[in-house]
Amino acid sequence: KSKVHSHLGPGSIIFPFHISLFAGATGDILPDSLPSVPGTLPHFLKEPEDSYIIKSNPIKLLCRAVPALQIFFKCNGEWVHQNEHVSREYMDQNTGLKVREVLINVSRQQVEDFHGPEDYWCLCVAWSHLGTSKSRKATVHIAYLRKNFEQDPQGKEVPIKGMIVLHCRPPEGVPTAEVEWLKNEELVSSLTDDNIDTRADHNLIINEARLSDSGNYTCLASNIVAKRRSATATVVVFVNGGWSLWTEWSPCNVPCGRGVQKRSRTCTNPAPLNGGAFCQGMSVQKITCNAFCPIDGGWEKWSEWTACSVQCERQRRRECNNPPPRHRGIMCEGPSNATENCTGGMCTQNGKLLHDVKPQSMDGSNDVALYSGLGSGVIVVAVLVVAVMLYRRSQSNYGVDVIDSSALTGGFQSFTFKTTRQGSPLLLNSSLQPDLTVGRTYSSHICFKDSIDNKELFDLLPDIKVKVQSSFMVSLGVADRAEYHAPKGHPPETFPRGLNRDYSNSTVERRSTKKGLLTPNGPPLTPTKDQMRTTGVFGHLGGRLVVPNTGVSLLVPHDAITEDTSWEMYMVINQGESSFQTEEGCEILLGPEVTYGPLGLDLSSPVAMTIAHCAEVDTENWNIQLKRKTQDNSWEEVMSVEDESTFCYCLMDSSSCHLLLDQPGSYALVGEPLTQAAVKRLKLAVFGSMGATPMDYSLRVYCVDDTPYAFQGVVATETGRGGQLLEEPKMLPFRGNTFSLQVYIQDVPQFLWSIKPFTTCQEFSFSQVWCSNQKPLHCAFSLERNSPTTTQLSCKISVRQVKGHEQILQVYTSVVESKESVPFFMQTDCTVTSQTGPKAFKIPLSIRQRICATFDTANAKGKDWQLLAQKLHLDRNLSYFVKQQSPSAVILSLWEARHQDTGDLDSLASALEEIGKIHSKSTAAKSQEDPESDVVHHLGTGSPGNPVCGMGELTNHETANSVPEYTG
C-alpha cells in the first residue's frame, strides 16, 4: 500500500479497495496482452458534454480515456453504481495504446428528483497505474419551451421612408429559443437586405420603409424541443398625399362684369396610398375678376356737306368714335360716307345746271299724278273704315277668343271666353291666363303651375259662360263639351279663387253646384299651424291632391266615386310633435305622418298615396312597416312592405313609397333596423347670413332626413332668418352602427377670419340623428372678419359619421354683396294643390278604358291583367289585385302614382307592345283584329315631347256621359 502511494504522489486519489475489486466491479479483467504505458496518468479523449432531456427520453453521457484501467462516473458528488456503467476497451490502431470507454444513461426522473444547490451534473474518473484523472463537469437539464410569447410584435402604420421597429420577446425555454422573422410566410434575412437589421435582442428593424415592406410579419421562436409562432403583425407603409402644381387661372366666367376665376390642383403628387392622409387645404381656389364689357361703336355727327362738284354731287362723312368700339365691341353699322345729288336731278350731261328751263308740259303732268294718288288713298281708307265697323258689329257679342291648344300631357286645357261686355283692356293680352282650376294641369308630379292672379279679370266679367273642352277629346274629334254656367249677377266668388301663396295654407275650397255633395263628419278642414293641408272636390272623373314640395300626393282614380256624387276630400301632413312613439328605440319614422279623408269616404276602388321616405331600401337590413293611427291615438301595424296582403298594397321605390288604400285615416311609414348596416339618407345643407355686427358672419349646417317634407322645415326656418343657401344640398348615408355624426369647419383663412375656439368641431349623438323623425338638426359656426376689407369667405364643411361616410360642403360666398342664393326648390312658386278630371292623369281616359277592357278578362291569348302587371314590374302581392273589381284599373292607378315624376307613356307603350309581340303570330293580322295593337300604336306615336299626339287618329266611342265634368 505504501508502495502504491509513493507512486501516486501527493494529490492523487487512493481508492479504498484493491485492484481485484475494480476488476470485479467492471466484470471485465484486463488481459495481459493489452499493452500499457507505465508511469502515465489517464488522458481523456472524450469528456461528458452538457445535455438536455427532451420529453421523457434519457440522455447518454460518454467518457473515453487512455491509458485507463478503469473509468467510473460520479454524479452530484455520489458514485454511480457499477451496474449502471457500460464499458468497452479497444486498441487504438495509430498509437497501439489501450483505450477505455464508459457510458451511462441519465433519466428525466433522476434529474427531477435531484434537489440541490446546483444543476444536475456528472463527471468521470479514470484510473491508471500512476493514479486518477477527473473529467469536466457535464450538466443535465430538462429541455422545454413555453407556448406564450413574453411580447408579441405589434402592427404598425408607417409613412414611407420611416423607420419600422418590431419588438419580439420569445417564450421562456431551456435552452434559450432562437428567433427568426417571417414576412408573408417567407424568411427575412439581414444578410440579403442591408435595409433590414435583426438585432440580438430579437427585434426587427427596417431602417427606411418601402412600399414593398408592407406585409404580415411573424416572430418564430424555436429550440430543440419545439417551435412557437407569435401573433401576426400587419405593417402598412402608407403614402401621404401631396398637391400638384396649381393650374393656370381659368378665364373669367362671365363675358362682361364681375365674375369668378378658378384654378385647381390635384392630390396626385403623390396620390395618397394605403390609407395615407389626403392633402390638406383647398383643391380649388377662386378669385373675383372684372371682365371688360364690350363697348359697341357709335357714330359721330355727320360732317357738313361739301360744295357741289362739277358732277352735281356733294359728300359728307362721319367717324365711328362716339364711342370707338372696345373690348370686342361691334363696329358701327352703316356707311361712313354719304353722297347725294346736289341739284335735285336737274343736271345736264356736261354738268351745267338747268335753272331756267321749265316746260309747261312737265308741270301739267306732275299735277295729274299728284291728284290721282290722293284720290286713290282716300278710297282705300274709306273701304278699310267700313270693313272695321262691320267686323266690330259682328263681334259685339263675343269679345276676344283666347284659345290655348296645349299638348295632351302637361298642358292647359283649351277654353274659350265669350262675353257681352266689351272694352276690357285686360283681354287684349293673350298671355293673361284665367285662373280656372277646372282647366289647370301641372308640369310635374308634385306641383301644378299657378298662373297670375286674374281676380280683376273676373270682376270685369259679371256674366260669363265658360266652355271647357278637353284637348284630348279635340284630338279625338269629339264635339261634346262640358259647360259651366254662371248666372248673371252671381258674385265672382262662385269661380275658383286665386290660390294663397303660402304653401302651409294652400287650400282650394270648392262647393259643388251639382247634386249629391257629401260632407260627412270628419276632421275639421280649417288648417292649423301644425298642419300642411290641401283639399279638393272630386267627382266621378277623379283627380289628384298634392302638398307642394313635400313628396306627398294622393290619386283618386276614375270611377272611384259614383256618378252624380262629389266628395270634398282633404290630405294633411302633421307638422307638430310626432304622435308616433318608438318601442325601445328600435323603430323610426321614415317619412311624414299623412292623413286623408273624410272618414266616411265611400270609394269603389282604392286611392293611390305617395309618401317620400329616407331609407336605403334593403330587406336584409330593414323591416319596413306601414302603420295606421287608431281612435285612441295609438299606432297599429297594417302590413310589412315585404308581406302580401289583400287589404293594402305597398310598393317601395328608392325614394318613395306608393300605397293603395281603401280606408281613410292617418298613415306613417316606420322602419326597424335589423342590422347595423341599415342606412337612412340624410340631406346636408349649409346656410349663411350676417351676424349681429357687420363684422360677424354665421354659418348654419343642417342635417335632416332626406325627404322633401323634412327639408321644408329647414326652408321655413331660414326664410325667417334671411339665410342664403350657399351650396347645393348633398346626401349622406347614415348607418345604424351607433356612432355619432361630426361636423367640422376647415380651411378657414386664419389671416382673414377668426372663429370661436373649441367650436371647429361639433357633434350630434347617434340617437339625435337616427331618431330625428323628420325634424331638422343644425349647428352653427360664428366667424368674425379680422378686417372690414375682407369681403370673401371660403371654407369647407366636413360632415362625417364616425366609422362611416363623409360629405364635403364647399362654401364660397361674398359677405358684403348680396348674392343670388341657390334655389331651395326647383319650383319655388308651387301653390296649386289639386286637379280634377282627365288632365290629372297621364293616361288618357279612352286609352285607359280600352286597356282595362282588354286585360280584365282572361282569354285564350293569355293577355290578362296578371301579364300586364308582370310587364309593368308590379307582379308581387297579386292577391290584392284579385279582389278588385277591375284589376287592370288598379294596376294603372299604381303605374300613374309611380310615374308621376316623368309622365312618360313610353314605358307603358313598350310593355303593351311586348305583350303584343309575345302573342302575335301574324303582325299584320293582329293589328286589324286586336284592339290592344291599336292602343299600342297610339301610345307609341306622336310628335317629340308629346308621346300621345298620335291619338288624334283614334275613333272615339265615348258617349255624352263620359265627357269631363268640372265642378267649381
Side-chain angles (χ1 to χ4, degrees):
K1 181 175 182 180
S2 60
K3 193 173 184 178
V4 172
H5 189 271
S6 63
H7 281 88
L8 294 176
S12 301
I13 298 177
I14 302 175
F15 290 92
F17 35 80
H18 293 40
I19 294 176
S20 60
L21 293 179
F22 287 107
T26 60
D28 189 9
I29 300 175
L30 296 178
D32 296 336
S33 59
L34 293 177
S36 61
V37 182
T40 303
L41 290 175
H43 169 67
F44 288 99
L45 300 177
K46 183 174 180 61
E47 297 182 88
E49 297 177 351
D50 295 338
S51 300
Y52 296 92
I53 297 177
I54 301 174
K55 296 182 180 179
S56 297
N57 301 321
I59 55 97
K60 300 180 184 298
L61 296 180
L62 179 66
C63 194
R64 185 183 302 125
V66 61
L69 299 176
Q70 292 292 342
I71 300 177
F72 282 90
F73 273 91
K74 192 175 187 178
C75 294
N76 302 319
E78 297 181 358
W79 294 102
V80 178
H81 195 275
Q82 60 182 2
N83 295 334
E84 297 178 10
H85 291 74
V86 178
S87 62
R88 74 185 185 94
E89 198 173 43
Y90 60 91
M91 180 68 69
D92 189 346
Q93 300 296 331
N94 296 325
T95 61
L97 297 178
K98 271 189 314 187
V99 179
R100 180 170 288 273
E101 183 178 272
V102 178
L103 177 71
I104 67 170
N105 292 327
V106 179
S107 67
R108 182 186 185 97
Q109 188 66 40
Q110 290 177 284
V111 177
E112 289 178 347
D113 292 343
F114 173 71
H115 303 284
E118 298 180 298
D119 293 330
Y120 192 98
W121 59 268
C122 292
L123 58 80
C124 58
V125 179
W127 179 85
S128 69
H129 293 287
L130 294 183
T132 60
S133 297
K134 293 182 180 179
S135 70
R136 61 178 295 276
K137 282 185 179 181
T139 58
V140 180
H141 298 275
I142 298 176
Y144 66 92
L145 182 62
R146 301 195 183 278
K147 291 184 178 181
N148 297 326
F149 278 72
E150 296 184 4
Q151 182 180 4
D152 285 307
Q154 301 296 319
K156 294 180 180 292
E157 293 184 358
V158 183
I160 194 168
K161 295 186 179 180
M163 178 177 286
I164 303 174
V165 179
L166 297 179
H167 298 279
C168 177
R169 291 176 60 189
E172 178 187 352
V174 174
T176 303
E178 296 181 355
V179 171
E180 295 177 310
W181 285 92
L182 301 178
K183 172 192 170 186
N184 299 332
E185 303 302 325
E186 293 184 2
L187 189 64
V188 176
S189 175
S190 59
L191 300 177
T192 59
D193 192 344
D194 296 336
N195 195 35
I196 296 178
D197 182 11
T198 53
R199 298 288 181 89
D201 55 1
H202 311 308
N203 295 336
L204 173 66
I205 300 176
I206 301 178
N207 297 314
E208 286 192 2
R210 302 156 297 191
L211 289 176
S212 59
D213 292 325
S214 298
N216 297 321
Y217 287 82
T218 307
C219 182
L220 184 64
S222 62
N223 64 4
I224 60 176
V225 179
K227 290 185 178 181
R228 303 281 187 249
R229 293 171 61 95
S230 69
T232 299
T234 300
V235 174
V236 177
V237 180
F238 62 85
V239 179
N240 291 324
W243 288 114
S244 65
L245 296 177
W246 288 102
T247 61
E248 297 294 331
W249 288 104
S250 66
C252 202
N253 66 337
V254 295
C256 171
R258 185 168 184 172
V260 175
Q261 284 181 286
K262 299 180 183 178
R263 68 173 182 175
S264 62
R265 56 181 178 176
T266 57
C267 190
T268 56
N269 187 30
L273 192 63
N274 293 342
F278 197 79
C279 303
Q280 296 293 321
M282 301 177 63
S283 61
V284 177
Q285 281 188 344
K286 301 179 182 179
I287 59 173
T288 57
C289 57
N290 289 303
F292 293 108
C293 295
I295 300 176
D296 296 338
W299 290 113
E300 284 188 339
K301 293 182 179 180
W302 287 100
S303 64
E304 296 295 332
W305 288 103
T306 61
C308 196
S309 66
V310 295
Q311 286 80 19
C312 301
E313 292 179 344
R314 61 178 180 176
Q315 296 180 343
R316 63 177 180 176
R317 53 183 295 109
R318 57 181 178 176
E319 298 292 336
C320 185
N321 53 12
N322 185 30
R326 288 181 295 173
H327 312 310
R328 305 176 308 280
I330 302 174
M331 287 292 296
C332 302
E333 295 183 359
S336 60
N337 296 312
T339 301
E340 69 174 9
N341 190 289
C342 53
T343 63
M346 295 182 296
C347 188
T348 61
Q349 291 182 353
N350 57 6
K352 294 183 179 180
L353 302 180
L354 301 179
H355 293 290
D356 301 328
V357 182
K358 291 184 180 179
Q360 293 295 325
S361 59
M362 180 182 293
D363 294 338
S365 61
N366 290 339
D367 292 340
V368 172
L370 176 62
Y371 293 134
S372 300
L374 289 176
S376 301
V378 170
I379 294 173
V380 171
V381 170
V383 171
L384 289 175
V385 170
V386 172
V388 170
M389 292 179 64
L390 292 176
Y391 175 76
R392 294 190 56 151
R393 180 174 300 176
S394 65
Q395 298 295 324
S396 61
N397 293 328
Y398 296 97
V400 177
D401 288 345
V402 182
I403 300 176
D404 180 9
S405 57
S406 302
L408 274 174
T409 58
F412 290 93
Q413 290 207 11
S414 301
F415 48 83
T416 304
F417 288 98
K418 297 187 179 179
T419 177
T420 57
R421 185 165 183 169
Q422 301 183 21
S424 173
L426 293 176
L427 295 181
L428 297 179
N429 186 356
S430 62
S431 64
L432 297 177
Q433 300 291 344
D435 189 10
L436 287 181
T437 307
V438 295
R440 191 178 303 279
T441 63
Y442 53 92
S443 58
S444 71
H445 77 289
I446 202 64
C447 174
F448 310 128
K449 276 291 187 180
D450 192 14
S451 63
I452 65 172
D453 189 1
N454 290 300
K455 186 175 185 300
E456 180 181 358
L457 173 63
F458 290 119
D459 292 339
L460 296 173
L461 305 174
D463 185 11
I464 187 170
K465 177 179 180 183
V466 182
K467 288 189 176 183
V468 183
Q469 178 176 344
S470 167
S471 58
F472 169 61
M473 302 172 79
V474 170
S475 67
L476 294 179
V478 180
D480 299 320
R481 291 180 172 84
E483 297 189 358
Y484 179 89
H485 297 273
K488 292 186 178 181
H490 198 282
E493 284 74 18
T494 302
F495 298 95
R497 296 185 294 275
L499 297 175
N500 194 331
R501 292 284 177 182
D502 184 2
Y503 62 81
S504 64
N505 294 304
S506 55
T507 304
V508 182
E509 295 186 4
R510 305 177 190 172
R511 294 295 181 268
S512 172
T513 59
K514 302 293 291 182
K515 53 193 174 183
L517 176 62
L518 303 179
T519 56
N521 294 331
L525 294 180
T526 304
T528 67
K529 65 179 181 179
D530 291 334
Q531 292 179 340
M532 300 176 69
R533 175 188 296 267
T534 178
T535 64
V537 176
F538 299 97
H540 179 64
L541 296 177
R544 192 189 301 265
L545 282 176
V546 172
V547 182
N549 295 327
T550 62
V552 177
S553 64
L554 184 75
L555 184 73
V556 182
H558 176 76
D559 289 337
I561 301 175
T562 58
E563 294 190 38
D564 299 328
T565 303
S566 296
W567 282 92
E568 184 176 30
M569 298 179 62
Y570 63 88
M571 185 167 57
V572 177
I573 298 180
N574 178 26
Q575 288 185 277
E577 190 66 27
S578 174
S579 61
F580 176 79
Q581 300 294 330
T582 61
E583 300 178 0
E584 300 180 357
C586 295
E587 296 179 337
I588 62 173
L589 276 177
L590 300 179
E593 298 177 17
V594 182
T595 304
Y596 86 94
L599 294 179
L601 185 64
D602 183 18
L603 301 178
S604 61
S605 61
V607 298
M609 178 185 288
T610 297
I611 303 177
H613 66 81
C614 61
E616 291 284 352
V617 181
D618 186 348
T619 56
E620 295 182 358
N621 300 320
W622 280 105
N623 176 27
I624 301 177
Q625 300 174 346
L626 178 66
K627 294 198 173 186
R628 178 173 54 207
K629 186 185 291 186
T630 60
Q631 293 182 353
D632 58 355
N633 283 335
S634 61
W635 289 87
E636 64 178 3
E637 180 182 349
V638 178
M639 67 174 295
S640 175
V641 296
E642 292 302 316
D643 294 341
E644 295 200 358
S645 170
T646 58
F647 304 102
C648 181
Y649 191 97
C650 184
L651 176 65
M652 292 292 293
D653 283 341
S654 59
S655 60
S656 296
C657 175
H658 310 287
L659 306 171
L660 294 177
L661 304 173
D662 293 322
Q663 299 181 14
S666 297
Y667 293 89
L669 201 64
V670 177
E672 177 186 4
L674 302 179
T675 68
Q676 290 191 355
V679 173
K680 81 168 186 176
R681 301 187 308 275
L682 297 181
K683 179 172 286 188
L684 310 177
V686 56
F687 290 80
S689 62
M690 297 300 294
T693 67
M695 300 294 287
D696 294 337
Y697 194 79
S698 176
L699 291 176
R700 293 176 295 279
V701 182
Y702 288 86
C703 305
V704 65
D705 293 348
D706 187 16
T707 62
Y709 160 74
F711 190 60
Q712 279 223 26
V714 177
V715 173
T717 301
E718 285 299 323
T719 301
R721 289 183 174 181
Q724 286 185 329
L725 183 61
L726 304 181
E727 170 73 317
E728 286 286 345
K730 295 184 177 180
M731 191 276 290
L732 176 72
F734 188 80
R735 295 188 179 276
N737 57 8
T738 71
F739 289 102
S740 60
L741 188 72
Q742 297 176 342
V743 183
Y744 299 85
I745 183 169
Q746 300 173 343
D747 299 340
V748 178
Q750 300 295 327
F751 58 93
L752 298 177
W753 293 87
S754 59
I755 186 171
K756 290 182 180 180
F758 310 111
T759 61
T760 56
C761 176
Q762 302 186 39
E763 188 168 8
F764 297 114
S765 67
F766 172 80
S767 59
Q768 283 180 292
V769 181
W770 190 254
C771 302
S772 61
N773 286 342
Q774 306 290 298
K775 299 300 180 184
L777 302 172
H778 88 280
C779 61
F781 298 97
S782 298
L783 296 93
E784 182 179 1
R785 289 185 288 172
N786 296 333
S787 170
T789 59
T790 302
T791 61
Q792 303 289 333
L793 171 62
S794 62
C795 62
K796 287 193 303 187
I797 304 293
S798 172
V799 184
R800 62 180 292 269
Q801 184 185 15
V802 178
K803 296 188 178 180
H805 293 84
E806 181 180 20
Q807 191 63 268
I808 301 294
L809 298 171
Q810 186 75 50
V811 175
Y812 180 79
T813 184
S814 172
V815 298
V816 177
E817 299 176 355
S818 61
K819 174 185 175 184
E820 182 179 355
S821 63
V822 180
F824 297 151
F825 299 102
M826 294 302 295
Q827 297 171 327
T828 57
D829 59 345
C830 294
T831 57
V832 179
T833 57
S834 67
Q835 187 186 33
T836 60
K839 296 299 271 184
F841 302 94
K842 307 300 180 186
I843 306 174
L845 179 58
S846 61
I847 299 298
R848 179 188 179 95
Q849 292 173 341
R850 298 179 67 178
I851 293 175
C852 294
T854 302
F855 290 99
D856 273 344
T857 304
N859 50 49
K861 293 178 290 184
K863 290 182 287 186
D864 56 6
W865 61 266
Q866 294 187 13
L867 185 57
L868 177 65
Q870 177 185 352
K871 295 304 178 184
L872 295 180
H873 307 291
L874 303 173
D875 52 345
R876 58 172 299 272
N877 196 10
L878 295 180
S879 58
Y880 178 82
F881 299 116
V882 171
K883 74 181 188 73
Q884 303 299 325
Q885 182 179 359
S886 174
S888 299
V890 178
I891 291 172
L892 293 180
S893 297
L894 188 58
W895 183 92
E896 288 264 8
R898 191 178 194 183
H899 292 83
Q900 55 185 332
D901 276 332
T902 59
D904 185 8
L905 295 176
D906 287 346
S907 61
L908 178 60
S910 298
L912 295 176
E913 184 177 6
E914 185 176 352
I915 295 174
K917 288 181 178 180
I918 292 175
H919 297 282
S920 63
K921 297 179 180 179
S922 174
T923 305
K926 283 286 179 185
S927 62
Q928 295 177 1
E929 65 182 7
D930 191 355
E932 175 201 318
S933 301
D934 192 26
V935 171
V936 174
H937 169 70
H938 295 294
L939 277 176
T941 59
S943 60
N946 185 6
V948 292
C949 289
M951 291 180 186
E953 302 172 5
L954 288 176
T955 303
N956 185 271
H957 301 289
E958 296 176 328
T959 63
N961 293 331
S962 64
V963 175
E965 179 177 297
Y966 297 88
T967 57

